[in-house]
Amino acid sequence: MVLKATLLSCFALIGLLAGPADAQETKPQDPKAAEAPQAGTVMLTIFFKHDQSRPLDQLNAQLTQQKFYETFPPKDVEIVSWYVMMGIGQVVTLRFPAERLREINRAVERTAWGPYRTEFYPTYDYKPTAVAERSKLK
C-alpha cells in the first residue's frame, strides 16, 4: 500500500514537472495520436470496484443521484478506455494535463464513492515500445 501511494506521488510529481498541455477531448482519438501524447499529459487508470453487497439497480440509482455520469470524467478529459471487468467493476483510463489530477480525484470522491471502492494507478502506453522490440526480433 505504501509502495502504491509512493509511486502515485512520484508519477504525479513527474507529470507536474513536465509542464502544462492543452486539454484533450473526450472523443475517441486516432490510434496513432494515442502513441504520441502531448508533453505535460499523464494517464491514470482507475478501478471502480462494485459494492457487491447491493444489487446493481441500487448502485446505478446512487450513481444517478450523485451525478456520476454528469461529473466524471470532467469536461475535456480524454477517455482512453472504459471497460467492464466482470466480477470487479469498471476500469477507466484517462489522459489529461497533469495539473488537473486534483480535479479528477475530487470528481471521483464526490460522485463514485458508495457504489464503488476506487483504486488509482499511474499509467503509460507501452504498446509502441513492445511493438518496436518485437520488430527487432524478426
Side-chain angles (χ1 to χ4, degrees), residues 15-93:
L16 289 172
L17 293 174
D22 295 327
Q24 302 289 319
E25 294 183 10
T26 57
K27 296 182 223 167
Q29 296 290 316
D30 174 27
K32 293 195 187 290
E35 293 175 9
Q38 294 187 351
T41 62
V42 294
M43 289 189 355
L44 181 68
T45 297
I46 306 170
F47 278 35
F48 290 99
K49 294 185 172 186
H50 290 130
D51 174 358
Q52 294 183 5
S53 70
R54 297 189 295 156
L56 184 60
D57 290 343
Q58 287 181 8
L59 300 177
N60 286 334
Q62 186 175 355
L63 288 169
T64 299
Q65 177 189 10
Q66 293 173 186
K67 299 183 180 180
F68 176 73
Y69 291 106
E70 295 172 33
T71 306
F72 181 84
K75 187 176 185 323
D76 297 325
V77 168
E78 178 188 354
I79 299 170
V80 176
S81 64
W82 192 320
Y83 294 101
V84 169
M85 187 181 295
M86 293 171 49
I88 300 290
Q90 298 181 28
V91 181
V92 180
T93 300

Side-chain angles (χ1 to χ4, degrees), residues 107-121:
V108 170
E109 290 174 343
R110 289 183 180 135
T111 66
W113 285 3
Y116 297 118
R117 287 178 301 123
T118 56
E119 294 181 14
F120 298 83
Y121 299 93

